[in-house]
Amino acid sequence: MSWWAAVESTFYFFERTIILYVAAINSIYFLLMVLGFFALRHYRAGLRPEERSILLNSPMLPEVDILVPAYNEAKTIVESVKALLNLHYANHHVVVINDGSKDETLQILIEQFHLCRSARRPDGELPTRPIRAVYRSRSPIRLTVIDKENGGKADALNAGLNVARGTLVAAVDSDSLLEPDALSNVIEPFVQYPGSVIACGGIIRVVNGCSVEHGRVTRIATPRAIIPLFQTVEYLRAFLGGRLAFSFLNCLLLISGAFGVFRRDALVEAGGFLITTVGEDMELVVRLHKRWRTKAAGYSIFFVPEPVCWTEVPESWRVLHQQRNRWQRGTVETLAAHRDMFFRPRFGAPGLFAIPYFAFFEMLGPAVELAGYLVTGVGMALRLISVEIAISFFVVSILFGILLSMSAVMLEEFTVRRYPSIGDLGRLLGAAVLENFGYRQVLAIWRVQGVWDAFRGKAGWGTMERRGFKRRTAAA
Amino acid sequence: MSPEARSRTAVIAKTLTFTGAYAFGVVLFHQLYLASRVTSRELSAAISIAVVQCATILAMLTFSFVAKLIRQLRTSRAARAEPQIRELLALHAAGTDIRGRILLMNRSGRAALEECLVEFLHMVRGSGRDALSELADDLGFVECWRKQFRSRNVTRRKSTIARLALLSRRYARKTLQDALTDDDESVRLHAARAILKYCEPGEAEKVFDVAIHGTFVTRMILTEDLRPHVLELAAEAIPSALESGDTAFTLAALEMMRAWGKFLPVRGVYPLLRHAEPSLRAAALHVIPQVAQSSGLHFEILRALEDPSEEVRSAAAHAAAAMDIRDAVPALARQLHNDGPKTAWVAGRALAELGAEGRQILERETITGSPAVASVALEALERIQISRTRTVTP
């Protein structure tokens, strides 16, 4: 066998392996999406609206402390806090943690909500950066503000946990808006299965393009700009397909940092949020799985598709790059920290399915995809692989990608139907096609870079440029 | 198999069936059509998957648009017929005999008539409801709904119960009572709520039974619905639950009593203060301020302040403050120092509410206590000051 034939067969082998891999990943996505679809229908057959409204006003509802870490959020903090204070829930308390902001965040809060310095000290024992002061409102509103030295989001959440006294705590990003019923809906599993549910997350949607007034989304629409539109499709795919299915199998590994509710005692027992990772939301959920599986105690971690948290997504390539790099680093750090769970039956579905899935597909997927483009390109140029094999690769990677994204959009249209106009549906379907030509490949490069950065030990969050919700009202 | 497990199994079965059908479609397309036309097996398989998925999406899109179109057509047809039906039903409810015209309408648009009838039954009471219930019976809707209640589909059973609940009781009593023992908890909940709408003597007790045997969600909902019947329940149903000897039912009854927040002359709470189970002792202490007081109760509260369980001590602090037991001040002061942060905080609040003696202790602790105790004391004083300011400020 000549050396050229050897190169040819190596290329052929690589290409086929890559095609098989990409076909496998797409098939799993598809299976998760189908499971998500039926799980969603199963979920929607729950309580009727009037029963939900009785639940909302019941004195038996558990007390919830909403923890809102804020760092340089002067533009959005007032709208966010107002929206949180006005949630339809009978028994909640908002705790804003000013994480050493360099802008006017604290001052604005003090002025807008008539805060005074309180004698209150944190009761909990989770280690955090020093707390400068605790403020409470003089008005009859349930708001506490903790002013502390900068220590990052996880540290701020731990400070909030130390102050919280409710049975449940909700971690909410200060740049996110919760729908009025979001909290009551996300609490439902906790009251439905008291004692066994330790965490629950809700769906995150893209606020770009929507109209916001007084901290509430008043008109739902898809974003006009292309980058947020692509992200809208991505969010639909991730939440309506993947997370619902993972939750159904009780192996949900990620409750988004933008909105998640936890049993406070479970969080404290697990040691709170980890401050040394940028993926503290995923790391925490994996740690909760690990701890409860080790204890061999019955538990569930839920994802409910009804509660809606609206979040502002990046509109520039630079910020998106930073965000995706951070997400990928968070995934790698979490998987590395909990590598002992891989394929271990004692960790049940998380160890046998979810963690390997994240490692092989979410972490390595982008690298394999890029390798596929490279091998196909070089193979075609040097005539090492046939045209049919090259087409097969593009069918499984690009066409399947398009079809998966379109399925996610259809899933939304069939079940939740949040976007009312036909135009929105058309734009989403268009984005589902277009995102596969360029956008997806750029993300793959950034994600590979993220994995590389994680192995190099890069830290830091990067910055998010906020437009602020007030401008959205004006723009609408 | 529990209903939840059954429903999960159904989801998995549907997923597998759908995926199986999908895979079958792919294989069929690959074998019957593409394999002979495309030489590469990989390409043929990949294109087969893509084509089947495209067809699925296209089918979904078509279905979505057709469904939207049908809904639109139905709405416009109903918009034409419904005003006339509504007028006839309004006249019938008011006592005019126009049965003939309604029967005629029943032949041409039965579905619209049923919807309008249900809509009207939601709105009318008294003789109007009786007349419309009788009409529903004459038109065969009642029989049809009773039959639907025997369906295996839970959603259909629930919607049937919702409809039967609107009728005068003589048409629905038996079905609603049967529904209280349905396999599915949500159907039981619906039936219980329907029964409570026009409750007859003795029925509230049956609903209370559903509540204490149900899940926490069922209990939360029925607790609110049972609120107007609390005094009736206090006579027999609640004491029976408290004396049942079953910890779960007793706890459930105590939870409901606490949520009602009303004074209730019930027996059976005092013995629970000495129950072996700490959670029951704590729950009983939470409701003790709501029940008739007897001699020796103060002693029981003071005893509970020294209970080995922190949960019980915390509940006792609540009770002491609510019942204004000044003798509890020394024990509460000890709790400030010896207990965990949560109980110390409850004790601080109780001291702040127990008059000058309690507040003096708190003021002293702000100066001499450890930083943690001083902080609790300050916070308790701060709270009472803020609540006073709020009371005074108009």
Side-chain angles (χ1 to χ4, degrees), chain B residues 104-124:
Chain B
L104 210 65
M105 197 60 90
N106 184 36
R107 270 180 232 133
S108 58
R110 189 170 165 83
L113 180 61
E114 186 178 356
E115 286 312 309
C116 289
L117 191 60
V118 169
E119 187 185 302
F120 260 71
L121 281 166
H122 268 291
M123 294 184 289
V124 293

Side-chain angles (χ1 to χ4, degrees), chain A residues 16 42 54 136 165 248, chain B residues 7-8 42 193 345 382:
Chain A
R16 286 188 71 158
H42 160 74
I54 293 177
R136 69 192 313 161
R165 283 169 179 158
F248 186 81
Chain B
S7 143
R8 287 179 67 84
E42 289 89 352
R193 300 196 67 212
W345 176 62
E382 186 183 287

Side-chain angles (χ1 to χ4, degrees), chain B residues 150-167:
Chain B
R150 289 194 284 273
S151 161
R152 289 179 66 185
N153 184 320
V154 174
T155 315
R156 184 168 298 165
R157 289 211 300 278
K158 277 198 281 190
S159 68
T160 305
I161 290 294
R163 292 188 167 198
L164 286 170
L166 301 169
L167 298 170

Side-chain angles (χ1 to χ4, degrees), chain A residues 175-463:
Chain A
D175 56 321
S176 300
L177 293 176
L178 292 189
E179 288 213 337
D181 291 338
L183 192 58
S184 52
N185 286 334
V186 84
I187 295 304
E188 211 178 293
F190 288 95
V191 288
Q192 196 112 36
Y193 312 102
S196 73
V197 180
I198 55 173
C200 188
I203 192 165
I204 313 291
R205 285 177 181 270
V206 174
V207 78
N208 308 48
C210 301
S211 302
V212 178
E213 279 171 42
H214 308 298
R216 283 196 186 172
V217 175
T218 50
R219 191 179 65 87
I220 297 171
T222 47
R224 295 274 157 187
I226 197 77
I227 301 178
L229 187 63
F230 286 155
Q231 290 173 80
T232 308
V233 176
E234 275 188 286
Y235 275 57
L236 288 180
R237 204 171 48 218
F239 283 98
L240 291 181
R243 289 201 198 172
L244 255 172
F246 278 112
S247 161
F248 186 81
L249 302 169
N250 198 21
C251 59
L252 182 70
L253 291 195
L254 179 58
I255 287 177
S256 172
F259 182 40
V261 177
F262 303 86
R263 227 170 64 197
R264 194 177 66 89
D265 60 344
L267 268 195
V268 173
E269 188 186 325
F273 291 85
L274 190 68
I275 58 168
T276 52
T277 177
V278 286
E280 79 296 327
D281 42 5
M282 183 177 179
E283 196 283 331
L284 174 70
V285 178
V286 176
R287 189 149 34 93
L288 287 173
H289 275 296
K290 193 176 184 177
R291 195 168 180 89
W292 259 257
R293 292 271 173 185
T294 310
K295 286 201 310 190
Y299 77 101
S300 332
I301 294 180
F302 265 87
F303 168 79
V304 279
E306 280 295 333
V308 174
C309 170
W310 296 92
T311 195
E312 198 180 354
V313 297
E315 293 197 350
S316 76
W317 290 104
R318 188 179 60 79
V319 180
L320 183 66
H321 181 192
Q322 286 172 352
Q323 186 198 51
R324 295 312 161 96
N325 183 284
R326 189 179 75 238
W327 286 4
Q328 199 67 6
R329 276 188 284 134
T331 305
V332 176
E333 284 168 5
T334 304
L335 294 175
H338 299 284
R339 57 189 177 276
D340 53 334
M341 288 176 78
F342 271 74
F343 294 120
R344 296 277 295 276
R346 69 185 286 218
F347 294 113
L352 291 174
F353 172 61
I355 291 204
Y357 165 86
F358 266 79
F360 292 121
F361 295 131
E362 293 291 332
M363 192 173 89
L364 297 179
V368 176
E369 191 183 336
L370 288 182
Y373 296 130
L374 193 72
V375 170
T376 311
V378 173
M380 284 287 287
L382 301 177
R383 300 185 177 212
L384 291 166
I385 54 169
S386 67
V387 177
E388 285 184 335
I389 289 287
I391 295 175
S392 303
F393 171 73
F394 283 108
V395 167
V396 292
S397 62
I398 305 288
L399 190 58
F400 281 13
I402 293 173
L403 295 175
L404 273 176
S405 299
M406 288 178 84
S407 305
V409 175
M410 289 316 297
L411 190 62
E412 149 81 22
E413 175 61 18
F414 255 72
T415 49
V416 193
R417 215 178 289 143
R418 277 279 174 155
Y419 295 101
S421 85
I422 295 264
D424 284 325
L425 180 62
R427 261 198 297 282
L428 286 173
L429 286 173
V433 176
L434 287 178
E435 66 151 358
N436 289 281
F437 300 98
Y439 177 77
R440 187 175 131 184
Q441 288 72 20
V442 170
L443 287 195
I445 295 170
W446 290 346
R447 287 170 71 188
V448 171
Q449 207 182 342
V451 174
W452 177 246
D453 285 344
F455 284 120
R456 277 174 51 225
K458 182 185 168 184
W461 278 64
T463 52

Side-chain angles (χ1 to χ4, degrees), chain A residues 34-281:
Chain A
V34 175
L35 183 57
F37 172 73
F38 289 115
L40 187 59
R41 288 176 69 91
H42 160 74
Y43 170 78
R44 287 172 73 79
L47 291 175
R48 293 186 303 184
E50 68 264 28
E51 288 161 357
R52 287 222 166 109
S53 97
I54 293 177
L55 278 187
L56 277 183
N57 298 308
S58 169
M60 292 160 91
L61 273 181
E63 187 181 352
V64 184
D65 283 294
I66 303 178
L67 310 182
V68 192
Y71 178 71
N72 293 345
E73 303 282 359
K75 273 186 187 171
T76 54
I77 194 70
V78 173
E79 291 286 311
S80 298
V81 172
K82 276 184 186 167
L84 292 173
L85 288 168
N86 287 319
L87 288 177
H88 294 171
Y89 193 81
N91 198 5
H92 76 288
H93 192 115
V94 178
V95 181
V96 179
I97 308 106
N98 177 44
D99 191 29
S101 295
K102 289 177 187 140
D103 67 359
E104 307 279 273
T105 304
L106 180 65
Q107 209 48 44
I108 287 174
L109 283 169
I110 290 173
E111 283 166 15
Q112 289 283 326
F113 297 102
H114 313 289
L115 302 179
C116 61
R117 205 166 167 148
S118 166
R120 189 166 172 185
R121 275 166 47 109
D123 299 329
E125 288 167 359
L126 294 171
T128 65
R129 300 276 294 150
I131 288 174
R132 295 176 191 142
V134 176
Y135 297 86
R136 69 192 313 161
S137 179
R138 271 177 290 212
S139 321
I141 55 171
R142 309 185 78 186
L143 172 68
T144 300
V145 174
I146 303 169
D147 182 31
K148 66 180 276 290
E149 286 177 15
N150 182 260
K153 186 182 169 187
D155 191 63
L157 285 168
N158 285 340
L161 257 180
N162 282 341
V163 167
R165 283 169 179 158
T167 320
L168 303 174
V169 288
V172 177
D173 275 357
S174 61
D175 56 321
S176 300
L177 293 176
L178 292 189
E179 288 213 337
D181 291 338
L183 192 58
S184 52
N185 286 334
V186 84
I187 295 304
E188 211 178 293
F190 288 95
V191 288
Q192 196 112 36
Y193 312 102
S196 73
V197 180
I198 55 173
C200 188
I203 192 165
I204 313 291
R205 285 177 181 270
V206 174
V207 78
N208 308 48
C210 301
S211 302
V212 178
E213 279 171 42
H214 308 298
R216 283 196 186 172
V217 175
T218 50
R219 191 179 65 87
I220 297 171
T222 47
R224 295 274 157 187
I226 197 77
I227 301 178
L229 187 63
F230 286 155
Q231 290 173 80
T232 308
V233 176
E234 275 188 286
Y235 275 57
L236 288 180
R237 204 171 48 218
F239 283 98
L240 291 181
R243 289 201 198 172
L244 255 172
F246 278 112
S247 161
F248 186 81
L249 302 169
N250 198 21
C251 59
L252 182 70
L253 291 195
L254 179 58
I255 287 177
S256 172
F259 182 40
V261 177
F262 303 86
R263 227 170 64 197
R264 194 177 66 89
D265 60 344
L267 268 195
V268 173
E269 188 186 325
F273 291 85
L274 190 68
I275 58 168
T276 52
T277 177
V278 286
E280 79 296 327
D281 42 5

Side-chain angles (χ1 to χ4, degrees), chain B residues 38 46 66 76 81 159 164 167 183 186 198 220 225 234 239 247 295 311-312 317 328 357 362 384 392:
Chain B
V38 180
V66 169
S76 61
S159 68
L164 286 170
L167 298 170
D183 283 345
S186 59
Y198 310 106
M220 279 171 87
D225 288 339
T247 310
S295 58
E311 185 191 2
V312 177
E357 197 186 341
L362 289 174
I384 203 135
V392 173

Side-chain angles (χ1 to χ4, degrees), chain B residues 60-113:
Chain B
M60 283 167 82
L61 267 172
T62 315
F63 183 81
S64 177
F65 281 112
V66 169
K68 267 187 181 166
L69 200 70
I70 291 172
R71 263 200 302 272
Q72 218 165 351
L73 280 174
R74 269 194 196 152
T75 315
S76 61
R77 194 185 299 164
R80 279 199 303 274
E82 278 174 7
Q84 202 186 344
I85 298 174
R86 282 198 193 104
E87 204 178 317
L88 290 177
L89 289 177
L91 285 170
H92 188 82
T96 317
D97 189 14
I98 42 162
R99 204 170 288 249
R101 285 173 66 190
I102 293 175
L103 284 174
L104 210 65
M105 197 60 90
N106 184 36
R107 270 180 232 133
S108 58
R110 189 170 165 83
L113 180 61

